[in-house]
Amino acid sequence: ASTTVTTTGDQTYTGAVTLGANTTLAGNDITFSSTINSAAATLQDLTVNTTGGGTTLFNGVIGGTDRLAHLVTNADGQTQINAGTINLNGNSAIFNDPVVLLANLQINEAGAGTVTFNSTVNGTFSLNVDSAAGTTIFNGAVGNLAPLTTVTTDADGTTQINGGSVNTTSTQTYNDAVTLGADTTLTGSTITFNSTLNDAAAGTQSLAIVGNAIFGDAAGDFVGNTAALEFLTVSGTTTFNAGNASAT
């Protein structure tokens, strides 16, 4: 079963929202002032399609009581997240428009789904992504307009950095295996890789770290072991705890 709500103007949901079916909302600005949950013991999808350069605004926790299966925003306009927490289970979150953080954000994907940012992510707050067995994908620049404070990914799954840059005022900690899909600059106080770090294709992408760098926290945390980086530069101090580092 599915539900669609379409308006030519705005949609505003002031009270708590419960999804009893997969739901698509289409309108100009779409605002959620409170929480969003699936109906008890179900997993529902939510797709939000703004029009005319509208804004999707999440002001309440998403999936705090009953997780959503799938959360998607379209490429029109932007998404502002003041929710603090987004909990999903088994599918994915896909933000196709620019994301602006209005509060520290924790995204928890309990299943094998991906968490994908297909555009930029900005805002002077922290971003923590727990993707379980899935992949965290940054296809746009992070912090290019307003640097985040910190970026953290969990030890499960993988992370793909394809947007060219991640800019934070404090630390970046990648606890899962990282793949670079573009020449990348990571700017922060300390950039830590607690798993492997590889190029998407050997010798094609470079990594520049503006700040201090820590590579690995275990013997198997190799750099470039399956696909060597083209170049690696670090402006600050460097600590190697990994098995090796390889660059072409």
Side-chain angles (χ1 to χ4, degrees), residues 15-27:
V17 171
T18 301
L19 305 178
N22 296 332
T23 301
T24 299
L25 306 177

Side-chain angles (χ1 to χ4, degrees), residues 31-49:
T31 300
F32 301 90
S33 298
S34 186
T35 58
I36 306 171
N37 286 284
S38 294
T42 72
L43 291 168
Q44 307 296 344
D45 300 346
L46 175 62
T47 300
V48 183
N49 296 326

Side-chain angles (χ1 to χ4, degrees), residues 32-33 56-62 79-86 100-105 125:
F32 301 90
S33 298
T56 300
L57 174 59
F58 296 112
N59 269 326
V61 171
I62 300 172
T79 293
Q80 298 180 1
I81 304 177
N82 196 29
T85 302
I86 297 175
V100 178
L101 302 182
L102 303 180
N104 296 334
L105 176 60
F125 298 94

Side-chain angles (χ1 to χ4, degrees), residues 2 8 23 26 35 44 47 81 96 103 113 124 151 153 160 162 171-172 175 204 225 240-241 245:
S2 62
T8 57
T23 301
T35 58
Q44 307 296 344
T47 300
I81 304 177
N96 288 302
T124 57
V151 171
T153 63
Q160 298 177 12
N162 303 324
T171 60
Q172 297 175 35
N175 288 303
T204 59
N225 62 312
F240 288 110
N241 298 319

Side-chain angles (χ1 to χ4, degrees), residues 8-175:
T8 57
D10 300 341
Q11 297 180 30
T12 302
Y13 301 93
T14 303
V17 171
T18 301
L19 305 178
N22 296 332
T23 301
T24 299
L25 306 177
N28 186 22
D29 293 337
I30 300 179
T31 300
F32 301 90
S33 298
S34 186
T35 58
I36 306 171
N37 286 284
S38 294
T42 72
L43 291 168
Q44 307 296 344
D45 300 346
L46 175 62
T47 300
V48 183
N49 296 326
T50 60
T51 58
T55 297
T56 300
L57 174 59
F58 296 112
N59 269 326
V61 171
I62 300 172
T65 303
D66 290 278
R67 293 172 182 259
L68 276 60
H70 192 47
L71 176 64
V72 180
T73 64
N74 69 336
D76 178 86
Q78 65 172 291
T79 293
Q80 298 180 1
I81 304 177
N82 196 29
T85 302
I86 297 175
N87 290 328
L88 307 167
N89 188 3
N91 207 317
S92 59
I94 303 173
F95 301 97
N96 288 302
D97 51 353
V99 170
V100 178
L101 302 182
L102 303 180
N104 296 334
L105 176 60
Q106 168 98 23
I107 300 178
N108 183 277
E109 166 54 73
T114 62
V115 177
T116 303
F117 299 92
N118 278 327
S119 187
T120 57
V121 184
N122 284 284
T124 57
F125 298 94
S126 64
L127 174 62
N128 190 318
V129 182
D130 296 335
S131 59
T135 302
T136 301
I137 303 173
F138 296 105
N139 282 328
V142 178
N144 60 312
L145 299 177
L148 280 59
T149 54
T150 63
V151 171
T152 306
T153 63
D154 69 326
D156 296 318
T158 60
T159 292
Q160 298 177 12
I161 303 176
N162 303 324
S165 64
V166 179
N167 191 356
T168 58
T169 56
S170 185
T171 60
Q172 297 175 35
T173 305
Y174 303 95
N175 288 303

